[in-house]
Amino acid sequence: SKATVSVLYWLSIQTLIMEYVDLLRGSGFVTETDAMIQGAWTDISGMVDSWTLEHMFVHNWTAVIYWGLNIPLLIFNFFPAINPLERWKIQKGKHETAGNVFKMLCVVIFNQIIGTIAAVVTQPPRDIRAETIPSCVDLAWQLLACMILYDTFFFFAHCAMHTEWLYYTLHQVHHKSKISIGISSAYFHPVDYVLTSTCVFLPPLIVSNHVVTQVVWLTVLALETTNAHCGYRIPFLPDARDHDFHHSHSNHASEKYRFVNMGSCFLIWDRLFGTRDPCTNWWIEKEKAEKKAQ
């Protein structure tokens, strides 16, 4: 069956990765790089106390990444004539209005404030300066594990959010953004935002619980989720049409598209359960129609 083939495929990929990891561990270059990074970590961690170091890295850095990516996208939304990405716009000629963007910005900033407060309050005290930094090889497999775990947690949590009560009570806010724009990635009902953030922070806590693993994971996820919501199909990046379609078509009222492209990263569970197929089929039909019209 399709599910069995998919499972065997991912198991084979995992086996190849672990064999490659074992080879890398004996590499002199990797050993020297690890020593250099560990030295830099020791120097940096000796400058400030453990609490400041952890929250400076996790919260301040992720905020810099988020806004560093999204401020240019906001400018491009309002000035498409100077936008170098406009040629790759998925919903051609469609842009968010100033009124909608203002509302979204208010919600996003509020969410980020309460999210930071919740993380600071709930984070137990620990001396991260005494912890040995993960090696490059460990970071590589930990990052892959975080992506797979997040894809799993987010898929099932997201499916729950598309059930009737949760959708109309919480998740409908996120789906008010029909034209994908980068800041949509944090545009949620505050309760929905906290629940989604739980799916984000659990994977690194499970695989490592080291602040460096958290920072690397959150950086990669910020890049992934901004790309997914940016509204452009940029060459050599993961296809943003999957999540753009989710925003433009998927909602609880639609039986056909109620559950479509519900995961993230690799869309593992969407491939297993067939919830990516409606989107793929829609794009195939659209491309056929465009070719006939030429």
Side-chain angles (χ1 to χ4, degrees), residues 41 53-62 65 126 128 139 143 146 201 204 208-223:
W41 170 256
L53 180 64
E54 179 165 13
H55 294 292
M56 175 181 69
F57 263 93
V58 175
H59 303 300
N60 293 356
W61 173 247
T62 51
I65 290 291
R126 57 177 178 163
I128 63 171
L139 274 175
L143 179 59
C146 283
F201 282 97
S208 170
N209 199 27
H210 194 286
V211 65
V212 172
T213 303
Q214 293 180 39
V215 170
V216 172
W217 160 239
L218 292 173
T219 301
V220 170
L221 185 64
L223 294 170

Side-chain angles (χ1 to χ4, degrees), residues 9-153:
Y9 170 77
W10 285 106
L11 287 175
S12 65
I13 292 294
Q14 180 187 22
T15 301
L16 289 173
I17 290 171
M18 294 312 296
E19 289 177 358
Y20 185 61
V21 164
D22 289 336
L23 288 173
L24 284 177
R25 287 188 191 280
S27 167
F29 173 77
V30 171
T31 302
E32 292 174 4
T33 304
D34 286 341
M36 181 179 65
I37 295 174
Q38 181 63 54
W41 170 256
T42 302
D43 293 339
I44 294 171
S45 61
M47 295 179 184
V48 293
D49 64 89
S50 186
W51 188 94
T52 302
L53 180 64
E54 179 165 13
H55 294 292
M56 175 181 69
F57 263 93
V58 175
H59 303 300
N60 293 356
W61 173 247
T62 51
V64 167
I65 290 291
Y66 178 87
W67 290 108
L69 292 170
N70 281 294
I71 288 175
L73 291 174
L74 284 173
I75 295 172
F76 293 155
N77 178 73
F78 293 117
F79 301 98
I82 63 169
N83 181 7
L85 304 177
E86 194 66 22
R87 74 190 78 172
W88 299 310
K89 184 76 173 170
I90 297 170
Q91 298 186 44
K92 301 294 185 183
K94 295 183 179 181
H95 303 88
E96 275 290 7
T97 65
N100 285 344
V101 169
F102 177 75
K103 293 175 185 176
M104 293 169 71
L105 284 173
C106 291
V107 173
V108 167
I109 292 170
F110 178 77
N111 283 342
Q112 290 183 332
I113 291 172
I114 64 167
T116 300
I117 293 172
V120 170
V121 170
T122 57
Q123 178 68 53
R126 57 177 178 163
D127 187 5
I128 63 171
R129 295 174 299 176
E131 299 175 1
T132 302
I133 193 172
S135 67
C136 293
V137 174
D138 285 336
L139 274 175
W141 75 256
Q142 288 169 5
L143 179 59
L144 178 63
C146 283
M147 295 172 79
I148 294 172
L149 285 171
Y150 176 68
D151 201 355
T152 301
F153 296 154

